[in-house]
Amino acid sequence: MSASTEALIVELIFSFGAIVTVGGIIGLLIAKGKQKTLRPAMTIIISGAGLVIIATLLNVLLFKSYDHVQVKKDQYYEMVSLTANMHTSLASSQAANQPVTPTAKKASRNVTYLIKHTHQPKASLHRAQAAQQQLTTRKHPDLALVKRHYRFILNRYVAQLGHSERVTQRLSDYAYRQAVQSNQLGPKKSSN
């Protein structure tokens, strides 16, 4: 099940719980006005509040926000790790005539490792390996080529998250900006 479907289910549980709670409060007010027993209305309120609490806990435990979009926590951490390693692999090469540092080379190998171990398509793995080869074996790597490979990898990764085409494009653009931004302030963390 995709993250967007699971997030929708959690939102539905939350909404249903809120509606039940409001219905119970209305029932409580009606019962109090007619001087009837309050126990059934209180039971409904407690049941609705329980659903709201369960939905809130599920949301906190299962999801994290990446560019204000709910994604599963494991996908969030994979994306942050992937973009941080892409950023680090490009950081030393952004200035003209700068050699690729050992840290950047290690980060490019980490990108390949992450692609391989998150079971991405073979095309993404080949692109990661080609980018790694540029950054680890060339004195002056073709950064435009590396960035194209990284863009392809991120597009493919985000497409698997199961969001709409518009949200997928927005997430991919955001992830790419995190990966290739200049290193003046370091990679930005997304909000929770």
Side-chain angles (χ1 to χ4, degrees):
M1 195 178 320
S2 70
S4 60
T5 305
E6 289 176 359
L8 180 64
I9 291 170
V10 170
E11 286 178 24
L12 289 173
I13 292 170
F14 183 88
S15 299
F16 181 70
I19 290 169
V20 168
T21 302
V22 170
I25 291 171
I26 292 169
L28 181 70
L29 294 174
I30 292 170
K32 190 174 183 181
K34 292 185 176 184
Q35 297 181 351
K36 292 188 177 183
T37 182
L38 303 179
R39 178 167 267 165
M42 291 301 292
T43 303
I44 292 171
I45 292 170
I46 291 171
S47 298
L51 286 173
V52 168
I53 290 169
I54 289 169
T56 303
L57 286 173
L58 284 173
N59 193 34
V60 168
L61 294 173
L62 297 178
F63 300 103
K64 213 155 169 68
S65 179
Y66 190 78
D67 191 32
H68 309 292
V69 174
Q70 293 289 87
V71 295
K72 291 181 183 177
K73 275 192 172 182
D74 59 338
Q75 294 167 337
Y76 170 84
Y77 291 118
E78 287 171 3
M79 284 294 294
V80 169
S81 182
L82 192 59
T83 56
N85 277 295
M86 288 176 172
H87 177 78
T88 303
S89 73
L90 293 169
S92 68
S93 304
Q94 297 285 1
N97 299 319
Q98 281 288 77
V100 179
T101 65
T103 303
K105 291 178 181 181
K106 181 179 179 186
S108 72
R109 287 189 288 274
N110 288 344
V111 170
T112 304
Y113 175 86
L114 286 167
I115 295 301
K116 188 174 185 179
H117 288 86
T118 56
H119 309 293
Q120 297 304 304
K122 287 189 179 191
S124 293
L125 180 60
H126 292 309
R127 299 273 182 132
Q129 290 168 336
Q132 177 184 336
Q133 182 181 16
Q134 281 288 323
L135 292 167
T136 57
T137 62
R138 306 258 172 133
K139 187 173 182 178
H140 298 289
D142 182 352
L143 291 182
L145 178 64
V146 172
K147 288 178 181 180
R148 276 196 308 273
H149 289 325
Y150 284 174
R151 180 66 177 195
F152 177 88
I153 290 166
L154 291 170
N155 285 343
R156 280 291 185 82
Y157 183 88
V158 173
Q160 293 178 341
L161 299 181
H163 292 284
S164 69
E165 189 175 321
R166 183 179 58 83
V167 172
T168 298
Q169 188 60 48
R170 190 180 98 201
L171 285 176
S172 181
D173 291 344
Y174 179 79
Y176 182 71
R177 282 192 308 274
Q178 297 303 305
V180 300
Q181 69 184 353
S182 86
N183 201 26
Q184 294 168 350
L185 300 174
K188 294 179 185 174
K189 298 291 181 191
S190 69
S191 62
N192 273 343

